[in-house]
Amino acid sequence: MSEQDRQYDELFSRLGTQNARVKPSPEREAQIRKECTASLTPIAPLKRWQRVASCCALGLLVMSGLAALTRGDGVHQLTRSTLYGAAAWALVLLSVLLVGFGPQGSRAALFRIGAALSVPLAFLAYLGVSQSAWTPLVEWIGHPIHCANAFRCGVMALGLGAISASGVMLVWRRTDPFNPGWSGALAGVVGGMTGALSVGLVCPDGEAWHLWLGHGVGVVMLVLIGAWLGRRVLSP
Amino acid sequence: MELAAVFDFADGSGIRSKNPVKRLALADSAAIAELSVEELMGAYVGGDPAAFDLLYRKISPQLLGYLIRLTRHRERAEDLLQVTFSKVHRARASYLPGAPVLPWVMAIARRSFYDELRAKKSRREELSHDGSLPEPKPAEEPVPADVSDALERALDALPDTYREAIQLTKITGLSMVEAASVLGTTPTAMKLRVHRGYRALRETLEKYQRDV
């Protein structure tokens, strides 16, 4: 640290001391005290490990229940796929909750890693879909019926996902002063995955482009809407 | 000081010392200094209004100072102080017991400031009481002769990321880790922001010196 930097440090610290001497007016102080102590009821907040443990326990319970239900040969195929879909959904929810309740630093780091990986992953996903698709993308888009079906599925996925994301936001409302936008995006992931899975279970179209565009775009949209809405709803 | 010796959370009554002398001493400034803000926040969440008073006395000077620097307006800073405490009160159930209180409260204050700013931007124009438009700011202010004035002006001219980093760590007195959590970044990024902010300050002040 240079001599000049030390001088700045000293000047800034003096400024800080001056600032800290300023007091609000007595009327204002009285208002604040009244507002914050008028309806003060005891609350027992959960500790971080208790929150994470309760999420894990809930996830495990759901998974065990699903595993028990899908055992045996008498289970109908649709029921089986519904339950497996729900199991996958429980895993998504569990990971989202774990990240959501994790320490702030690790959370930000996870998001950065996710953001950095999103572009190459999207490209790899495109390559994968191209390989597994029955028709090339241009040809598939050329059929209006394909686009109409994808649009219908997209609207359904978006609607169902929005209901789920709203529920998560309701539970998380006013809890995150640090990264409310990111938490909103997480709620969007939760809702988007719910919508995509729910529609995917009943949709008869198995074409890869339909699944990715019709069912997947809702996830992206809900993530973006969640990020925008999170700053308004999840901030205290 | 042991938390259990001072607080009784079981009945939700917050601060209740087993030792009556200690209970009386809680009003003393020396006793206040002994309690950490995290302990006081715990008692406040537990439902004790006296704990709020102590908490308020401990954190409000730093918080108001920070808000004055953010807003550059005493009245607005006081408004935001009230809004911040109101939000802290509403969100107290989401406070993680034992977690650092000051970054949590500062983050709420900062978020409130930016929310207010966003709301103001959406309004078209504010008129004064007599219905006239506000006076436009002068294009170029004279270079300040005093070092601390020049430093303040140079600080104001910095990009938001650098200015906030310097304000939180050097003026408000938060640690790098605390300031990083307020701004939602890592301590390493905070150190970098402060370092780059100082470099930009040096350049601006050198320019002022040349101009003078």
Side-chain angles (χ1 to χ4, degrees):
Chain A
M1 190 184 263
S2 69
E3 184 56 41
Q4 210 168 12
D5 287 355
R6 263 191 286 275
Q7 195 190 345
Y8 293 165
D9 275 356
E10 203 180 301
L11 283 166
F12 281 138
S13 139
R14 216 180 297 160
L15 266 176
T17 318
Q18 278 173 14
N19 283 348
R21 275 195 212 121
V22 182
K23 278 195 156 194
S25 62
E27 296 81 28
R28 180 79 68 171
E29 288 196 318
Q31 277 176 352
I32 294 172
R33 282 207 173 89
K34 192 182 165 196
E35 204 173 328
C36 295
T37 54
S39 56
L40 199 56
T41 45
I43 296 167
L46 292 176
K47 289 180 179 155
R48 197 189 296 275
W49 71 266
Q50 286 171 324
R51 294 181 191 201
V52 173
S54 61
C55 290
C56 289
L58 188 71
L60 281 173
L61 196 72
V62 172
M63 298 287 282
S64 317
L66 291 169
L69 280 169
T70 48
R71 281 175 74 180
D73 298 330
V75 183
H76 190 269
Q77 185 57 37
L78 182 64
T79 318
R80 196 189 290 271
S81 28
T82 308
L83 291 173
Y84 279 128
W89 157 238
L91 271 177
V92 170
L93 184 65
L94 190 65
S95 57
V96 166
L97 287 174
L98 280 172
V99 174
F101 286 134
Q104 292 299 323
S106 65
R107 218 167 131 185
L110 274 173
F111 278 124
R112 266 186 217 105
I113 293 166
L117 286 177
S118 62
V119 175
L121 278 178
F123 182 66
L124 284 176
Y126 172 77
L127 286 182
V129 177
S130 307
Q131 289 296 314
S132 59
W134 300 324
T135 48
L137 179 61
V138 182
E139 197 182 310
W140 183 83
I141 285 180
H143 289 281
I145 188 80
H146 289 163
C147 297
N149 284 341
F151 180 73
R152 201 166 44 233
C153 279
V155 169
M156 276 170 68
L158 199 65
L160 288 168
I163 295 169
S164 176
S166 310
V168 176
M169 283 212 177
L170 200 70
V171 174
W172 283 0
R173 75 187 190 283
R174 291 180 185 164
T175 56
D176 188 0
F178 297 103
N179 299 306
W182 286 116
S183 297
L186 270 179
V189 173
V190 172
M193 290 302 288
T194 316
L197 277 169
S198 318
V199 173
L201 288 170
V202 290
C203 177
D205 196 340
E207 168 63 47
W209 296 121
H210 172 86
L211 295 176
W212 278 86
L213 295 174
H215 302 189
V217 168
V219 181
V220 179
M221 283 179 75
L222 281 172
V223 168
L224 295 176
I225 294 169
W228 179 78
L229 211 60
R231 290 196 303 182
R232 286 147 182 86
V233 178
L234 303 180
S235 174
Chain B
M1 183 186 286
E2 272 295 307
L3 186 65
V6 184
F7 301 119
D8 180 10
F9 292 110
D11 63 355
S13 57
I15 292 182
R16 182 172 299 171
S17 173
K18 285 171 185 168
N19 179 351
V21 179
K22 199 179 272 179
R23 195 187 309 170
L24 287 171
L26 282 172
D28 293 349
S29 56
I32 292 168
E34 254 185 79
L35 293 170
S36 72
V37 282
E38 284 75 26
E39 289 168 336
L40 291 170
M41 185 71 198
Y44 170 48
V45 173
D48 194 314
F52 174 77
D53 277 347
L54 301 181
L55 182 73
Y56 176 81
R57 278 159 69 181
K58 273 207 159 187
I59 65 173
S60 64
Q62 237 174 328
L63 191 59
L64 185 63
Y66 172 63
L67 287 169
I68 287 174
R69 293 217 68 80
L70 267 184
T71 56
R72 294 248 160 229
H73 193 279
R74 174 72 188 262
E75 196 67 25
R76 270 182 70 201
E78 284 195 17
D79 285 347
L80 278 171
L81 183 78
Q82 189 170 354
V83 168
T84 304
F85 273 108
S86 162
K87 286 183 175 181
V88 166
H89 178 65
R90 285 204 307 255
R92 68 192 191 283
S94 69
Y95 169 73
L96 284 168
V101 171
L102 208 53
W104 187 66
V105 176
M106 291 271 185
I108 293 175
R110 180 174 173 270
R111 187 69 55 185
S112 306
F113 167 70
Y114 282 109
D115 284 348
E116 197 204 67
L117 212 63
R118 200 168 39 230
K120 269 202 170 159
K121 267 184 194 166
S122 63
R123 286 178 218 149
R124 266 188 267 168
E125 190 65 76
E126 279 187 12
L127 299 177
S128 60
H129 289 297
D130 62 350
S132 60
L133 286 168
E135 285 290 318
K137 282 181 182 173
E140 195 66 43
E141 284 176 36
V143 174
D146 184 43
V147 184
S148 58
D149 285 351
L151 194 64
E152 281 224 53
R153 209 176 123 187
L155 185 67
D156 283 344
L158 283 182
D160 285 350
T161 46
Y162 299 159
R163 195 182 62 243
E164 280 194 306
I166 291 175
Q167 270 176 1
L168 284 170
T169 54
K170 303 293 179 183
I171 301 177
T172 311
L174 296 190
S175 69
M176 287 287 175
V177 178
E178 288 175 332
S181 71
V182 172
L183 298 180
T185 185
T186 58
T188 317
M190 278 302 296
K191 280 181 198 162
L192 206 64
R193 284 181 193 183
V194 172
H195 174 74
R196 286 180 181 164
Y198 265 34
R199 199 170 56 193
L201 277 180
R202 261 199 304 273
E203 283 165 13
T204 314
L205 288 173
E206 277 165 16
K207 188 175 162 278
Y208 286 165
Q209 270 179 340
R210 279 198 301 271
D211 289 352
V212 169

